[in-house]
Amino acid sequence: MSITKIAVLGTGANGASIAADFVNAGLDVTLIEQWPDHVDAMNKNGLTVRMPERTEHTKVNAIHLCQVAELKTTFDLVFILVKAYDTRWAAELIKPVLSDSAIVVGLQNGMSIDDLADVLGPDRSMGAVIECCSNMFEPGVCNRETPPEESWFGLGGLSDVSHSRVEEVAEILRHAGTVEVYDDIRSAKWMKLVANASELVTSAILDVPLFEAVADSEMRKFMEDNAKEALAVCLASGSRIVPIFGFTVADQDPDTYAVNLLNEVLKRFSFPNTLTTVLQDWRKGRRAEINDINGLVVSEGKRLGIPTPANSMTLRLASEIESGARKAELGNLPELLAYHKGG
């Protein structure tokens, strides 16, 4: 089996920059995107990826979601980078244009691997962990703060069949960053979810960059508590602590590891002007992955009998912001921290 035709489904900030890496490596790549202006801009002017030390302009082949039904070819490898809550329909969309030996990789936050496997089957599904810091506010232009040499990915199959092809896929993904292969990709994705639960939504509630949010000592403790709860739920669910993005696990108790994992994320990916993906979505007027991150911790905590007061507070305020009942602003800090006072 060989991979000749690749699709990247979901070419926002991360998806577009990763797709550009593949194109620049000489691979046959089709970008599939739902934002019409972005598709038009990429096809007309190419894709611009701005990085701290360089800017790259890449000619790409981009199509809109509605054009998938017009395709006369099939794909051997698909990377899905839509929001976690869009995984199921994205998998159904791409299913008719997969080759017989195709592999689909959910390169996303959250635990989208179950939706992927449910639609496509575990033998053609792979899970992945992504650490790539990018943002996009202009069609055809991606601002990537972590270039390929600083980006990191974890990769693992969902069955023995799909896992037997991990190195084949990893060889391609290494054009976009460092790749580590996992025999237990579910545990690796839980580690990323623990990190995400601590900082993605919590800092967005204050409408400030992550760097600014963690400067407040009480806020930082609240973020740490979100991480500790998430890891407790992870372990109760049957997953285990594994190292991610090079962060070595030694003899650490779960609470210590949760705090150290947050610290590692902040050290590697907290830049003065970095907005989390959740805050980017809210500023664009879009729904974010709150139910796939802190919401998942809360729902799984209820199922397993694990208390999650910090994550519950995060979810409540974030849900109010998404419903329009509340604004994301620094004024939310006292209520967010009411959890510490028994509120």
Side-chain angles (χ1 to χ4, degrees), residues 8 10-22 47 49-52 54 56 79 81 83 107-109 128-136 142-154 173-179 192 195-196 199-200 210 244-245 264-265 268-271 274-278 280 289:
V8 177
T11 55
N14 283 334
S17 63
I18 290 169
D21 292 333
F22 296 158
L47 175 62
V49 180
R50 297 170 178 162
M51 292 173 277
R54 65 186 185 275
E56 295 179 350
F79 291 94
L81 287 101
K83 295 297 180 182
L107 200 56
Q108 306 158 284
N109 288 325
V129 182
I130 177 171
E131 272 300 334
C132 180
C133 188
S134 306
N135 63 74
M136 176 179 288
C142 171
N143 303 300
R144 182 170 176 176
E145 295 173 323
T146 52
E149 53 269 23
E150 297 177 18
S151 297
W152 180 94
F153 307 96
L173 188 54
R174 287 189 178 104
H175 293 297
T178 299
V179 178
K192 179 64 187 304
N196 285 344
E199 44 93 13
L200 282 188
L210 176 59
I244 62 170
F245 41 80
E264 186 70 14
V265 170
R268 292 168 58 92
F269 302 105
S270 177
F271 305 100
T274 297
L275 304 181
T276 67
T277 56
V278 172
Q280 290 182 49
E289 296 172 311

Side-chain angles (χ1 to χ4, degrees), residues 21-93:
D21 292 333
F22 296 158
V23 173
N24 291 329
L27 302 174
D28 184 344
V29 184
T30 300
L31 286 70
I32 305 173
E33 172 57 31
Q34 60 184 317
W35 184 12
D37 291 347
H38 185 34
V39 173
D40 293 343
M42 288 191 290
N43 285 329
K44 181 179 179 179
N45 304 314
L47 175 62
T48 298
V49 180
R50 297 170 178 162
M51 292 173 277
E53 303 297 330
R54 65 186 185 275
T55 296
E56 295 179 350
H57 302 279
T58 305
K59 184 177 180 180
V60 299
N61 172 38
I63 66 173
H64 190 270
L65 292 180
C66 63
Q67 294 177 282
V68 172
E70 303 170 3
L71 293 172
K72 307 300 182 185
T73 187
T74 58
F75 298 106
D76 305 305
L77 175 61
V78 178
F79 291 94
I80 293 183
L81 287 101
V82 298
K83 295 297 180 182
Y85 54 70
D86 284 332
T87 302
R88 183 171 290 275
W89 69 253
E92 292 284 7
L93 175 75

Side-chain angles (χ1 to χ4, degrees), residues 198 202 206 210-228 259-260 262-267 270 333 337 340:
S198 68
T202 53
L206 304 183
L210 176 59
F211 185 86
E212 184 175 337
V214 298
D216 184 288
S217 59
E218 286 189 287
M219 180 62 184
R220 184 163 185 143
K221 182 181 184 305
F222 178 72
M223 295 166 72
E224 291 174 354
D225 287 344
N226 275 266
K228 292 175 183 177
V259 172
N260 287 340
L262 171 60
N263 290 339
E264 186 70 14
V265 170
L266 296 175
K267 182 175 71 176
S270 177
L333 183 59
L337 298 181
H340 289 303

